[in-house]
Amino acid sequence: MIKLTRPGDLANREVIEAFANQASVALLRRRARGNLLRSERRFRDVIDSSPFAAAIIDSDGRYTYLNRAFTDLFGYTLEDIPTGKNWFRLAFPDPVCRRKAIAVWKTDREQAGPPGRPPRLRTFQVRCRDGKEKTIRFSPVELSDGTEYVTYEDVTEERRVYRTLVGEIAGLRKK
């Protein structure tokens, strides 16, 4: 707050003080807006720098953000999958698999409980834009505003190695 020290200096002291106070509030708002923009940029930088694919999905099922690792992993962009419906259609082209994935997703959303709980890990075969199938571990977390933050981990090679080892162990037991 700015105050004039000598009342006789200006004829409209109250008007000038009101203007100065409004200017002060405007400067504080501008500083707060700048801080918010820097914070949002930092958040996006962190998400984009993540080695894991990530998506932010609003409570209506619209994809609002995909990081670079998501597009690198799946080949899909935000234009390809603006909604969950688009995602499920592309990632699960087989109708039976799609219905199962949607049912699991809906059940998990209903049973999610309060925000901040540990992720509900699920693993599915997903079709990528290039037509390749990958085994993906989904880790969705519901945020306080109903938004979902989901990370995706490609476990295709891990699963292949596991199946190979299990097969070799079974073969050794037969001998």
Side-chain angles (χ1 to χ4, degrees):
M1 179 185 288
I2 300 172
K3 293 221 181 233
L4 297 174
T5 56
R6 291 186 282 181
D9 287 348
L10 297 168
N12 294 323
R13 180 175 171 238
E14 292 81 18
V15 171
I16 292 172
E17 284 180 1
F19 173 78
N21 287 336
Q22 287 178 356
S24 176
V25 168
L27 288 171
L28 290 173
R29 282 185 182 152
R30 184 175 181 178
R31 184 178 302 148
R33 189 170 35 251
N35 288 341
L36 178 60
L37 289 172
R38 277 190 296 285
S39 178
E40 287 175 353
R41 269 195 301 271
R42 183 179 309 122
F43 170 76
R44 294 220 186 256
D45 287 347
V46 167
I47 299 300
D48 267 340
S49 300
S50 171
F52 292 106
I56 298 175
I57 307 164
D58 72 14
S59 59
D60 294 330
R62 287 188 310 268
Y63 282 68
T64 59
Y65 185 76
L66 305 175
N67 71 352
R68 281 180 244 152
F70 183 99
T71 300
D72 291 345
L73 177 61
F74 297 112
Y76 300 124
T77 65
L78 200 52
E79 291 76 31
D80 298 321
I81 56 168
T83 67
K85 185 175 184 176
N86 300 104
W87 162 253
F88 283 110
R89 186 177 46 76
L90 292 171
F92 304 96
D94 176 65
V96 173
C97 292
R98 184 180 324 127
R99 279 193 294 278
K100 282 183 186 177
I102 290 170
V104 167
W105 175 76
K106 284 181 177 179
T107 300
D108 283 351
R109 289 282 301 204
E110 290 166 2
Q111 297 175 355
R117 292 185 69 178
R120 307 169 308 274
L121 301 177
R122 297 291 185 183
T123 303
F124 291 101
Q125 286 294 118
V126 173
R127 170 87 43 93
C128 298
R129 185 178 195 149
D130 64 5
K132 291 182 183 173
E133 296 276 333
K134 293 183 180 175
T135 305
I136 304 295
R137 181 178 298 135
F138 292 72
S139 301
V141 177
E142 187 167 341
L143 305 178
S144 60
D145 65 353
T147 300
E148 264 195 320
Y149 172 69
V150 185
T151 58
Y152 309 80
E153 183 181 3
D154 184 355
V155 294
T156 306
E157 185 62 16
E158 177 183 306
R159 293 290 171 103
R160 186 194 65 73
V161 168
Y162 175 79
R163 285 190 302 273
T164 300
L165 288 173
V166 167
E168 288 177 5
I169 290 170
L172 290 172
R173 286 185 176 168
K174 287 181 182 179
K175 291 183 179 181

